[in-house]
Amino acid sequence: MRRACPGCGGRWMDQWMERCDRVLFQTYGRFPVTFVRGRGCRLWDDEGRGYLDLVAGIAVCNVGHCHPKVVGAIQEQASRLIHVSNLYYTRPMVELAERLVEVSFAQRAFFCNSGAEANEAAIKLARKFSKDHGHPERFEVLTMEGSFHGRTLATVTATAQEKYHRGFEPLVPGFRYVPFGDLEAARNALDDRTCAILVEPIQGEGGVRCAPPGYLQGLRELCDGAGILLILDEVQTGMGRTGRLFAYQHEGMAPHVMTLAKGIAGGLPMGVLLATEEVASCLTPGTHASTFGGNPVASAAALAVLSILLEDGVLEAMGPVAERFREGIEKLGRAYPQFVEVRGKGWLLGMEFREPCRAVVEECMRRGLLVNCTMDRVLRFVPPLVIGMDEVEEALEILAGAFQEVLGRG
Ligand code: PLP
């Protein structure tokens, strides 16, 4: 028997939703749609309905769904070799590390499988760095209020949002929180136990909040002065999302350590820890590992993603398209008293309202547009970076109708 989906505007649960709800952990509040196919910025559900996708797997499918070059690289590699182990050498992982080193501040890469794992590795690296440099008393990492770094015990502790901590106490020792964007607060919080500062250039999950100009450079100077590490979490901002390959590149500075995940492998699971030679050398054989890290298929996909972003002109082309959308949502928003502001950079945009925006998300979905909401009141737009002007106009038109329907009642 069909059941109505709670809070989903009259849609029915189909058999996949019911089967999913019977056997999967109930950790996600899913929308009532089962996707079966994707191409570029479009997704199709199992009833053949098409959607324009401004979510992109939450900032993952940066080159679009099933980009032919990514599909080709995966197919090619999968037909040759899927997995061996880090007991041995494989080619795609070496080529990928070389490419990442070439295009970033880093000299070495460590591969894992997710953003949380990359941050977990970065935290271990920071502790080890201090120990190896004669400071066994340094183990605390300073993180920012409103941050998001993952769901493992250490990374959820690093995540300075109480809602993610509840029920999992005691948390991991060694984290202190300061207000995001406040350099003075960071300076005052540093003490002789601090081994690193961990920060996102833009807080994505935290409501699309940008670091103020000069903040990241200021943190770097603080870290240099104290002989500790600046770790940038570019899990969401990296891989072209903000218009440069990495967000730190807008700021004329570089961190000691950076973490990547999400967009790196076109939708296959991969996380990366990048660091300078001096810092990376602290993780010696046996100190850290990952069974799947640097997996040949994920590495081949990531090489294809980098080639599309850097050689097919995606980063150059995305600026005006994102700008047009930004202007469009600012104009749309100004017509409603519930609207606060638009924030973000490139294709990591947030639109804050004074009230929860779940109803807008649902209305957009009914109209064939996927958008996401974070921190309850911030609509987040993180489409594939290859989205075109026509698709942006289409999205703006749907948003205008959805706002009218939901906020117009207001
Ligand atoms: N760091 C940032 C900035 C993120 O946005 C996320 C996920 O949203 C993570 C870390 C965690 O990544 P994952 O879900 O791959 O563990």
Side-chain angles (χ1 to χ4, degrees), residues 86 92-101 108-114 117-118 121 260 264 270-274 288-295 298-299 302:
N86 282 307
M93 137 184 114
V94 177
E95 284 177 353
L96 177 60
E98 283 174 349
R99 195 83 181 93
L100 288 169
V101 161
R108 290 193 182 270
F110 174 89
F111 293 117
C112 51
N113 312 286
S114 69
E117 269 185 63
L260 299 173
I264 180 119
M270 173 173 267
V272 191
L273 170 70
L274 288 160
H288 199 55
S290 164
T291 292
F292 294 115
N295 168 275
S299 297

Side-chain angles (χ1 to χ4, degrees), residues 15 19 62 76 91 122 188 217 255 283 309-310 357 360:
Q15 64 144 324
R19 285 164 66 176
N62 290 9
E76 218 302 279
R91 292 178 186 174
N188 293 335
Q217 173 63 28
L283 289 184
L309 291 178
L310 296 173
C357 45
V360 175

Side-chain angles (χ1 to χ4, degrees), residues 106-380:
Q107 277 110 36
R108 290 193 182 270
F110 174 89
F111 293 117
C112 51
N113 312 286
S114 69
E117 269 185 63
N119 285 329
E120 186 86 22
I123 293 161
K124 284 179 71 178
L125 174 61
R127 288 188 175 192
K128 187 76 167 35
F129 177 85
S130 276
K131 300 232 166 18
D132 287 2
H133 287 76
H135 291 287
E137 75 288 0
R138 293 182 182 172
F139 67 97
E140 278 187 357
V141 179
L142 224 59
T143 70
M144 308 303 155
E145 290 167 9
S147 57
F148 188 86
H149 299 294
R151 303 288 199 134
T152 63
L153 263 183
T155 59
V156 87
T157 309
T159 295
Q161 295 194 59
E162 209 221 318
K163 68 181 180 198
Y164 295 116
H165 297 165
R166 241 171 273 137
F168 299 109
E169 302 86 351
L171 299 175
V172 175
F175 294 89
R176 287 175 67 200
Y177 312 134
V178 290
F180 179 59
D182 184 341
L183 195 55
E184 240 0 79
R187 192 191 315 277
N188 293 335
L190 281 190
D191 64 21
D192 50 16
R193 284 179 308 181
T194 316
C195 69
I197 297 178
L198 169 60
V199 62
E200 297 152 87
I202 299 175
Q203 292 188 332
E205 301 305 303
V208 190
R209 299 193 173 276
C210 299
Y215 178 63
L216 298 180
Q217 173 63 28
L219 290 179
R220 168 77 202 223
E221 283 161 16
L222 280 186
C223 288
D224 285 342
I228 63 171
L229 301 184
L230 176 63
I231 306 167
L232 283 191
D233 178 343
E234 291 233 26
V235 165
Q236 190 156 152
T237 54
M239 302 312 291
R241 181 61 42 199
T242 67
R244 304 287 298 266
L245 191 58
F246 307 116
Y248 77 81
Q249 293 170 329
H250 293 282
E251 302 292 319
M253 55 77 65
H256 303 98
V257 177
M258 175 170 75
T259 55
L260 299 173
K262 284 196 179 282
I264 180 119
L268 291 193
M270 173 173 267
V272 191
L273 170 70
L274 288 160
T276 58
E277 177 69 46
E278 187 204 0
V279 174
S281 64
C282 298
L283 289 184
T284 49
T287 53
H288 199 55
S290 164
T291 292
F292 294 115
N295 168 275
V297 181
S299 297
L303 278 164
V305 168
L306 275 168
S307 148
I308 297 161
L309 291 178
L310 296 173
E311 284 135 39
D312 294 356
V314 173
L315 296 187
E316 288 78 18
M318 68 182 265
V321 187
E323 205 40 50
R324 163 68 193 124
F325 183 77
R326 187 188 185 119
E327 281 163 22
I329 53 173
E330 253 162 9
K331 187 157 169 237
L332 284 179
R334 280 197 295 272
Y336 297 96
Q338 299 97 321
F339 170 68
V340 179
E341 63 175 356
V342 171
R343 294 189 292 265
K345 195 173 257 170
W347 268 127
L348 174 48
L349 293 173
M351 185 178 193
E352 184 175 353
F353 292 91
R354 288 181 225 288
E355 57 187 50
C357 45
R358 164 100 188 183
V360 175
V361 174
E362 287 172 3
E363 184 57 32
C364 285
M365 199 163 161
R366 264 193 289 276
R367 293 166 181 252
L369 179 72
L370 300 181
V371 296
N372 168 254
C373 169
T374 184
M375 296 301 263
D376 266 357
R377 296 184 299 105
V378 182
L379 281 185
R380 178 173 43 174

Side-chain angles (χ1 to χ4, degrees), residues 13-25:
M13 306 267 286
D14 72 9
Q15 64 144 324
W16 296 106
M17 298 170 203
E18 293 200 4
R19 285 164 66 176
C20 175
D21 285 1
R22 267 201 294 277
V23 291
L24 272 100
F25 270 50

